[in-house]
Amino acid sequence: MTEQGFFTEADSAEVVISRNAAAKDARLAEVMAVLIRHLHAAVKEIEPTEEEWLKAILFLSETGHMCSDWRQEFILLSDILGVSMLVDAINNRKPKGASESTVLGPFHVADAPELPMGANICLDQKGQPMRVHGRILDTEGNPIPGAKIDVWQANDEGFYDVQQKGIQPDFNLRGVFRTGADGSYHFRGVKPKFYPIPDDGPVGKLLRQLGRHPYRPAHLHYIIEAPGFDRLVTHIFDPDDPYIRSDAVFGVKESLMARFTPMTDPASGFEGEFLDLQFDFVLSRS
Ligand code: BEZ
Ligand code: FE
């Protein structure tokens, strides 16, 4: 055992870090050293009272108690602090021209049905009809055939099917499509609405105390995969949404906005007016 100094206010971080010198996992030791250094610096800057520190401990305890198989309050906390988007940015640096990524969110369902290209993912005929179309391309502009497109969206009231079991049909507004030789995709949906992230727990309470709203602007979620390319987890956002500049989880990127354009076109198969949403996705090579 190596000789170590006693704990002092001035040397607090270094004393604690040196205690971890025998850690077998070098990455763990590095991560803990950075965390300890920043945490001690924050405590020195804040100088919390003992009551305030206990309040912080109770907040984290409550966050843990809120977690279950279907609710991850710590991910929500990471989301509203911008940490989820920062981890996403660090792990998804893309070459020029490739589509940008954004958060996955908690409402993806792994086994959504594979549907024929052009299918309507809206199973309850509720909402403003929408045609969604575009191409999956590489960074040279070539179409990618055989790309898997997994799409999901909230309905016209801002709810996912999994939040309204027994109200919306299972797999409503979800589908998996595969591109053909020309790399194009098209399907029907309905205009999604903005919605609040789950805000009935400690994270929602914190948002209210900070004077923040819990809303995400209207969007469609995508996971796009193709052999030889990086998996793309992203959204398309409505630029006219009231919350486009204040997404509760910081997921919006300028490059991921596309207009929902009202249109009538007898050749489209839609009766009367529908919204047209066109967006090309560009995948980076893995
Ligand atoms: C979502 O877009 O589904 C989402 C993302 C982060 C937190 C909550 C919801
Ligand atoms: Fe969402």
Side-chain angles (χ1 to χ4, degrees):
M1 178 80 90
T2 50
E3 196 78 7
Q4 286 164 2
F6 289 113
F7 189 97
T8 65
E9 183 178 335
D11 294 335
S12 65
E14 291 316 315
V15 170
V16 176
I17 291 167
S18 69
R19 188 69 64 84
N20 301 334
K24 289 194 179 65
D25 182 333
R27 178 67 173 161
L28 174 67
E30 181 196 2
V31 168
M32 289 309 295
V34 173
L35 284 179
I36 291 162
R37 208 167 285 128
H38 285 270
L39 185 57
H40 282 235
V43 171
K44 284 174 187 181
E45 188 174 341
I46 296 165
E47 297 198 332
T49 63
E50 283 166 328
E51 287 73 25
E52 284 173 329
W53 185 240
L54 182 60
K55 218 168 156 184
I57 300 285
L58 292 178
F59 170 78
L60 291 175
S61 308
E62 228 187 297
T63 301
H65 289 149
M66 199 73 199
C67 293
S68 64
D69 285 349
W70 53 89
R71 176 77 176 254
Q72 231 307 345
E73 196 74 358
F74 278 110
I75 296 184
L76 276 186
L77 180 58
S78 151
D79 292 343
I80 64 124
L81 296 178
V83 176
S84 301
M85 279 304 290
L86 185 55
V87 172
D88 180 75
I90 290 166
N91 286 279
N92 293 282
R93 294 180 184 126
K94 305 272 183 197
K96 204 170 166 313
S99 296
E100 293 188 282
S101 60
T102 190
V103 279
L104 173 68
F107 299 121
H108 178 245
V109 168
D111 52 353
E114 186 151 347
L115 301 172
M117 200 59 88
N120 190 354
I121 60 172
C122 178
L123 306 180
D124 61 3
Q125 284 77 50
K126 252 174 94 306
Q128 217 178 338
M130 184 174 71
R131 175 173 76 182
V132 190
H133 60 110
R135 290 171 304 161
I136 312 297
L137 304 169
D138 67 18
T139 50
E140 283 80 51
N142 304 305
I144 303 178
K148 180 182 169 202
I149 304 170
D150 187 344
V151 63
W152 68 105
Q153 62 158 103
N155 72 359
D156 63 323
E157 294 181 75
F159 292 104
Y160 290 91
D161 58 348
V162 291
Q163 296 175 290
Q164 289 194 312
K165 286 216 172 279
I167 298 173
Q168 292 187 43
D170 288 348
F171 300 115
N172 193 32
L173 295 168
R174 298 178 185 274
V176 173
F177 299 93
R178 251 171 234 278
T179 56
D182 66 354
S184 72
Y185 73 90
H186 64 113
F187 62 90
R188 289 182 182 211
V190 290
K191 185 162 193 264
K193 193 182 173 194
F194 59 80
Y195 63 82
I197 63 168
D199 68 341
D200 56 341
V203 169
K205 192 169 152 202
L206 177 63
L207 284 177
R208 284 186 288 281
Q209 286 176 330
L210 293 173
R212 284 172 58 176
H213 69 71
Y215 291 98
R216 298 214 64 209
H219 56 269
L220 281 85
H221 288 262
Y222 286 83
I223 299 175
I224 305 176
E225 293 171 292
F229 293 89
D230 294 321
R231 180 176 190 254
L232 175 65
V233 178
T234 197
H235 302 2
I236 303 178
F237 291 96
D238 176 5
D240 298 321
D241 189 277
Y243 297 105
I244 197 69
R245 296 204 163 269
S246 62
D247 183 359
V249 305
F250 307 95
V252 178
K253 292 180 178 173
E254 195 96 43
S255 69
L256 300 177
M257 296 186 206
R259 292 226 173 270
F260 293 54
T261 312
M263 206 175 261
T264 47
D265 175 5
S268 67
F270 284 87
E271 274 179 40
E273 192 176 88
F274 63 94
L275 295 170
D276 188 77
L277 179 60
Q278 192 272 330
F279 197 89
D280 292 343
F281 294 94
V282 179
L283 303 190
S284 50
R285 284 192 192 277
S286 52

